Amino acid sequence: MLNLVIFGPPGAGKGTQADLIAQKLNLIHLSSGELLRQELANGELGQEIQKYQDAGELVPDSLVVRLIENAITKNLDRAGFIFDGYPRNLNQANSLDKFLAAQGLKLDLVLNLELDEQDAIDRIILRSQTSGRSDDNAQTIGKRFQTYQTQTLPILDYYQNHGVLTNIDGRPSIAEVNSQILKILAE
Ligand code: AP5
C-alpha cells in the first residue's frame, strides 16, 4: 500500500493534484473538505458543518476523524490512499498515525505544496465563479488562511521529524506540478 498526504494552504492545488495522482496510481482520494460537503448535503449535521466552513474554522475533530476513519475502513482492500486536507492539526495527525498503525499501515510521504498567500487567493477567487462553495468569498478566505497558519502549518514540523516531508513548488502549471510529484514518487 502507498499512503500519501497532500498538504498546503487553501487553494494550493491539493484537490487538483490528488485527483491526478489517485487516477495514475489507483489510490483512493480522501478529501476531508469533500467528505464534509457530502455530509452537509446528506447528513443531519449539515447546519453545524456549514457554520464552521463558512467561518473558515476547523470542523470539530470528533466528526472529521470519524468520517475519515470510516472511509479508510471501507477501502482497505485498495492500493492506498491520498489524504487531501487531512490532517489539519496535530491531534488529527496523531489520530491518523495511530489508526493506520492499528491496520498495520503507515504514511509513506507528505507532499507539501508551497504557494504564497496571494497566488492562492487569486486561484480561489477565480474558482469562486464556478465552485458554488459558500466559503469561496473574500472574508472567509482570509479566515481560512488564519486557521491554516495557526493550526495546520505546525504539523509540518511533526512530519519533518518523522522524516516523511517533501516540499513541492506549487507555482507552475497543473501539469508541471504533477510531473514534479510523479518524479518524486518514482524515486
Ligand atoms: P477544503 O475543502 O479542504 O478546502 P481548502 O483546504 O481551503 O482547500 P481548497 O479546496 O480551497 O483548495 P485546494 O488546495 O484543494 O486547491 P484546488 O485543487 O481546489 O476545506 C474546506 C473547509 O472544510 C475548511 O475551511 C474547514 O472548515 C473544513 N475542513 C476540511 N478539512 C477539515 C479537517 N481535516 N478538519 C477540520 N475541518 C476541515 O485548486 C484551487 C483552484 O486553483 C482550482 O480552481 C484549480 O483548478 C486551480 N489550480 C490548481 N492548481 C493550479 C495550478 N498549478 N495553476 C493554476 N491553477 C491551479
Side-chain angles (χ1 to χ4, degrees):
M1 255 205 182
L2 178 67
N3 297 310
L4 308 171
V5 166
I6 190 146
F7 190 93
K14 301 182 295 294
T16 305
Q17 293 299 330
D19 267 344
L20 295 170
I21 299 163
Q23 269 174 39
K24 177 92 182 170
L25 302 178
N26 205 19
L27 304 178
I28 297 287
H29 173 187
L30 283 187
S31 155
S32 48
E34 213 39 62
L35 287 172
L36 287 164
R37 282 185 285 279
Q38 282 166 19
E39 189 71 18
L40 194 156
N42 308 323
E44 293 161 14
L45 297 162
Q47 274 187 340
E48 190 72 0
I49 293 169
Q50 180 127 39
K51 198 178 73 189
Y52 289 102
Q53 288 193 327
D54 287 355
E57 289 169 6
L58 296 186
V59 172
D61 288 351
S62 53
L63 173 59
V64 182
V65 169
R66 182 168 55 79
L67 287 175
I68 288 282
E69 290 183 354
N70 283 345
I72 294 173
T73 307
K74 280 187 202 149
N75 290 289
L76 282 170
D77 56 340
R78 302 292 293 268
F81 298 94
I82 179 158
F83 299 97
D84 155 16
Y86 186 88
R88 241 171 162 104
N89 60 26
L90 216 43
N91 180 47
Q92 292 181 13
N94 275 308
S95 296
L96 181 61
D97 277 346
K98 280 197 193 129
F99 190 75
L100 289 176
Q103 324 294 323
L105 303 172
K106 64 174 176 53
L107 273 186
D108 296 290
L109 208 56
V110 174
L111 305 160
N112 175 31
L113 279 183
E114 296 183 301
L115 190 68
D116 72 30
E117 185 165 331
Q118 193 52 55
D119 286 346
I121 290 173
D122 291 346
R123 287 184 188 175
I124 298 175
I125 295 292
L126 195 65
R127 181 183 64 188
S128 72
Q129 295 166 5
T130 53
S131 70
R133 275 177 57 170
S134 59
D135 59 348
D136 279 354
N137 62 73
Q139 199 187 350
T140 308
I141 293 168
K143 192 65 209 319
R144 283 160 66 191
F145 273 92
Q146 259 177 33
T147 304
Y148 174 74
Q149 293 286 345
T150 55
Q151 299 189 53
T152 307
L153 208 49
I155 318 179
L156 283 185
D157 279 344
Y158 173 90
Y159 286 130
Q160 179 87 57
N161 292 335
H162 283 66
V164 289
L165 184 68
T166 182
N167 295 321
I168 317 269
D169 181 0
R171 291 171 301 177
S173 70
I174 291 173
E176 283 171 277
V177 173
N178 190 239
S179 65
Q180 275 188 69
I181 294 175
L182 292 176
K183 213 163 115 192
I184 287 167
L185 293 178
E187 279 165 10

